[in-house]
Amino acid sequence: MSIAALLLALQALARADSVHPVLAFPEPGLDDPAAYHGYQTRLYRDAKGNALQVYLNRRSGRVVQLWADAANQSAGFTARDSGGRPAALVWGASGAVVAAAGGTRSLAYTLSAPSPIAIGLFLLGSMRVERDFQYAGRDSLPLDAPPFPQPELLDLIANLERLDPRERARHLTLLGARTVAELRARLEPRIALRAGPAWAVRVAQRSFDGKTHLSLVLEGDGRETVPARAGGVVTIRSRTGGPVRFTVRVTTDAPALTALARDEIFTDDFWRFYDAVRADTSRPERFRRLEREVRGVELLCYREKVMAGLPNFATYFGRDGMMTALLMEPVWRPAMREHVIASVLRKLAPDGDVSHEEALGGQAIRENAAAYNRVLDEYRRRRAAGDGALADSALVRARATLGDLQAVRENYGMVDDDLQLPVLAARYLADSTMPPAAKRRFLLAPSGGPGSPPRLVALLRNLAFVTRQVAPYAQAPVAANLVGFPPEEAGGWRSASWRDSRVGYAGGRFAMDVNVVWAPLALRSVARILDALAQLGLPTDSLEAPAPEIRGSPLASYAGDRQALERAIATWRGAARHFEVAVAPESARRRIEARLSSLPAPERRHWQGVLERTPLTDTLRFLALSLDEGGRPIPVMNTDPGMLLLLGVPHTVTEMLRPLLLPYPLGVFVATLGPLAANDAYAPPEVWEMFRNDLYHSPRVVWGREVNVLLAALAQRLLASDAASPDAPVLRSALRQLLDAVERSGLKDQELWSYEIAGDTLRPARYGSSSDVQLWNLTDLAVQYLLARLPNPDPSRQ
C-alpha cells in the first residue's frame, strides 16, 4: 500500500463511527413479521447525514443498498444457497460503521447465512435501474447472467463508433475515456478478489460519464470463511461448516445532501402534542410509532429537496411534495411549505408545467444518452440531405449533452400536479400567521440560480398554464372539453395522475380526480392568488409586465375581468355531473355476482359471504374513476372523493362517504384492511382483466395516502362542525370504522398494502414494491395530531 493510500485509510478510520439504524422494519411490537413475507430493512444515516437503506428480500435473495443522496444510487446483489434457493440471510450485528474521507462516504454492516452461499447479479448505479431490474424479474436469473442491459448506453456507444475518428475522440474526451473499449467497460462492474487473513471481494463501477464512483466490498475473516470467484459469481463457505458471516461495505464519492433537523420541520404545537404522547406511559407503543414516523420524515427532508420515499422514490416528486404539504399544514412549519413551493417553482418548465419527477445520476445519464442518440440521428439525416449548417448545429448540441451527462432531467408528463400548485400557493398566501413582508420576500426571491426570474413570475407562468388547460370547458362545458390524458403511442391514454400505473384509470381519458377535484379548485385558487397579490402590493392589473410569457392567456383576461373568472369557476363546479353513476340494487347484485364468478374459488367464497351479509335496498351512487374517450363514465368505484372532503369542497357528506364505507364487493371497505383503491365490480369484464394484470391501483390494494386523506378530512370536518350537526354522527362513525380497519391491518406504516385469502380468512400482506418510508404515508403524523384535538378522541390513538 502506498503512503498516500495508507494515510487515506488512517483518516477514514479516524472518522469512522458506529451507528444504530434510524429505522428498521418489521419492528418487534409494532409490526407483524409474517405480513412482510421475509422482507427486512434497516435505514441509517451516513457520516454526512444522508439516508442509506439496506433491505433483504429473503423471498428472492436480493440485497440492495440504496443511497438517498444527490445521485440516488444503489448497489445490489442476489445471494443463493448451495441448492440454488434464496439464501436465508440475517443481520450479523445490530449496527453499522459509517465513515467519510477524501470526498467519499461509506457504510459497513454484517450479514450471516446458515450455510455456504453464492452471490451474483451485481448491479451498481441508479436506484431506478435497480427498480427496473426487479420489475423485469431479472433478480431470478442465473447468478452469472449478463448485467442489466441499458439500451440507451449501448446505442450511444454504437453512435460513437459511427463517427469519424477525429470527432469520436472529441466525444470520448467529454466522457473522460480514451477509447470506446474503455467506455464499454463502464457498463459492467469490475470484480476483484483479494485472498488472505482478511479477504475482500471488491465490486466497483465508474459512472458512464466517468465522474462518480460506487463500490461494494464483501469482507471476511479468512480464519472463518473462504471466498472464491468464478466470473461474476462469488461463493463464500465456512471452514468449519458453520454459519457464513461477512461484512458488506458500500462507498461513494457522489455529492451529499444537507439534512434538515426535526426542529426545522415541525411546529411548536406539534412538539407539545409529541411530548404529551411520550408522557403517557400507559401506551408506550403509541409513542414508539409516533417517533418512528418523525424519524421517517427526517430521512426524507433535505435543504435541497423533499424526497418521495425510500427505497423506490428517493428523489423529488412534485405531486408527492405538494400533497404532503397540504396534509401536513397543521404540523409543519411555514418554512416547510415554502420549501416545497420553491422546489416546484424552481423546476417549472418555461410554459409553467410542473415537474412530476427528477432523474438523477445514472438515470439522468440514461435519459441524456437517449437525447444524445436522437440528436446524432438528426445529425446524420442533415448530412445525408446536404444541410451542412444544420448538421453542424446538431453536432454541437450532441457535444453539449455529453459534456453534462448527469444533468438533472425533469419529467413533465403528469396532469394533476400542474393543477395542485395553485391550490397549495393560494393556501400559503392566505396563511394569516405569515407576515405580508415574508410572503413578498418569498415571491420576489429568484426561482432558481443566478439570473433566474422571481418566484412570482414562475407562479404566474403556472397560473397561465392552468387557465389555458381549463379554458375549453369553461367556454363550452361538454365532456370532450375536460382536462384529458395524453395519448399513448400504442393507443389508448396514459394514466397521468396519481394512479399512474399502466391501467390506473381503467383505460380512461378523463380522470375524475383531475376534473372534479383539482381543476375546479385550481381555478378558484387563481382568484384567491390574484386577490392575495393585490393585497401584498404586487402587480396584478397588467400581468404581462412581470411575466410577458402569459400575454394572450386566459389568466390575463381573468385578471382584468373578474366576472369572467367567477363564471368559469361556477361552470367547473358542475363538472362532477359527467362522472355520476347510479346503479339500482338488482343491477348491482347481478354485476357483482358476475365479477365474483371470475375469481378463484377461495376468493369467490369469501366475498360471496360478505355480499350475503350486506343488504342493499336503494340505488348506489358514486363518482366514476374516469370517462372514456367518448365522455362515458367507466363505472369503477374509488377513494378519490376523499380529497373533496379534505379540501372542503361542498358535497353531501353522507352520500360521499357511503361507497367508501360499504363493504367490498358492494363498496371499497374491508373491515380488517381499510378502503381498497378501487372496486371494478360494476365495470365491464375488460376492466376486470386490466386490473388483474396490473394490481398497483386495483381492488387488491389499500393506499396509505388515501387512508390519511380520509382520516384527516373526517377529523378536520369534525373539528369545524357543531356537535349538534346532523353530519357529526356520520363523521364520527366513519372515523371509528376507518381507524379500526387500518389498525387491524397491521400495515398502516406502509405506502400500500394488500391481502391474501386462505380458506375463508383474509390476511393483510405487504405489497411487494411498497416503499418502507413514504412521504405522504407519513402524513399520519398530522392525522394523529388532529385526532388528539377532537373533544372525544379515538381511544386507539391515546
Side-chain angles (χ1 to χ4, degrees), residues 54 116 130 150 273 426 431 617 637 672 721:
V54 182
E130 176 68 36
Q150 298 184 52
F273 158 71
D431 186 351
T617 57
M637 194 181 290
T672 58
S721 68

Side-chain angles (χ1 to χ4, degrees), residues 728-795:
V730 176
L731 294 169
R732 282 194 292 269
S733 174
L735 189 61
R736 283 194 297 270
Q737 282 182 257
L738 285 167
L739 283 170
D740 182 61
V742 174
E743 292 289 340
R744 291 172 70 184
S745 78
L747 287 161
K748 67 177 186 177
D749 291 307
Q750 291 291 299
E751 177 191 11
L752 68 163
W753 54 95
S754 185
Y755 63 86
E756 297 172 344
I757 293 177
D760 192 43
T761 302
L762 183 146
R763 291 200 300 259
R766 180 183 183 275
Y767 190 84
S769 62
S770 174
S771 289
D772 302 298
V773 179
Q774 220 286 341
L775 193 60
W776 59 32
N777 218 57
L778 292 167
T779 57
D780 179 62
L781 289 167
V783 171
Q784 292 190 55
Y785 172 83
L786 291 168
L787 292 176
R789 296 177 62 201
L790 291 173
N792 297 301
D794 186 87

Side-chain angles (χ1 to χ4, degrees), residues 512 516-517 576 621-623 637-646 649-661 710 717 730:
M512 187 276 290
V516 178
V517 181
R621 302 180 188 278
F622 60 91
L623 293 174
M637 194 181 290
N638 59 92
T639 53
D640 287 345
M643 196 64 67
L644 294 170
L645 294 171
L646 176 72
V649 178
H651 279 82
T652 304
V653 171
T654 301
E655 186 173 298
M656 192 70 64
L657 286 172
R658 187 185 181 213
L660 298 175
L661 296 174
L710 284 167
R717 284 184 175 254
V730 176

Side-chain angles (χ1 to χ4, degrees), residues 362-570:
Q363 181 63 20
I365 288 174
R366 291 171 76 183
E367 295 185 16
N368 283 312
Y372 170 86
N373 294 332
R374 290 191 295 270
V375 174
L376 276 195
D377 287 344
E378 178 190 346
Y379 162 71
R380 281 190 290 271
R381 288 197 306 272
R382 298 294 189 187
R383 283 194 64 185
D387 296 332
L390 292 175
D392 290 344
S393 174
L395 204 54
V396 169
R397 284 185 280 126
R399 293 184 201 126
T401 300
L402 281 190
D404 192 5
L405 213 53
Q406 288 198 49
V408 176
R409 292 182 63 89
E410 308 293 345
N411 176 346
Y412 295 103
M414 291 293 145
V415 172
D416 57 339
D417 50 10
D418 309 316
L419 302 164
Q420 289 165 355
L421 177 55
V423 178
L424 182 60
R427 291 170 77 97
Y428 163 73
L429 291 173
D431 186 351
S432 60
T433 66
M434 289 287 292
K439 295 175 186 175
R440 281 194 295 271
R441 281 195 301 271
F442 176 76
L443 289 172
L444 296 177
S447 57
S452 62
R455 291 180 183 135
L456 172 61
V457 171
L459 177 60
L460 292 173
R461 286 174 178 166
N462 172 255
L463 300 188
F465 182 87
V466 166
T467 55
R468 287 190 185 98
Q469 298 293 100
V470 302
Y473 186 82
Q475 294 164 4
V478 296
N481 286 337
L482 291 166
V483 178
F485 287 152
E488 291 273 25
E489 288 185 12
W493 308 96
R494 179 158 52 83
S495 294
S497 189
W498 87 268
R499 297 171 181 262
D500 57 355
S501 55
R502 183 176 56 84
V503 299
Y505 287 88
R509 180 182 183 184
F510 304 101
M512 187 276 290
D513 66 314
V514 170
N515 290 284
V516 178
V517 181
W518 295 114
L521 278 173
L523 201 50
R524 189 172 66 179
S525 297
V526 168
R528 293 176 173 175
I529 290 170
L530 292 175
D531 290 339
L533 293 178
Q535 292 170 6
L536 291 172
L538 296 172
T540 57
D541 53 343
S542 178
L543 294 176
E544 290 89 343
E549 300 87 349
I550 71 168
R551 185 177 294 113
S553 73
L555 175 63
S557 301
Y558 289 152
D561 184 356
R562 294 303 296 274
Q563 288 186 347
L565 178 54
E566 292 302 325
R567 286 194 298 272
I569 292 170

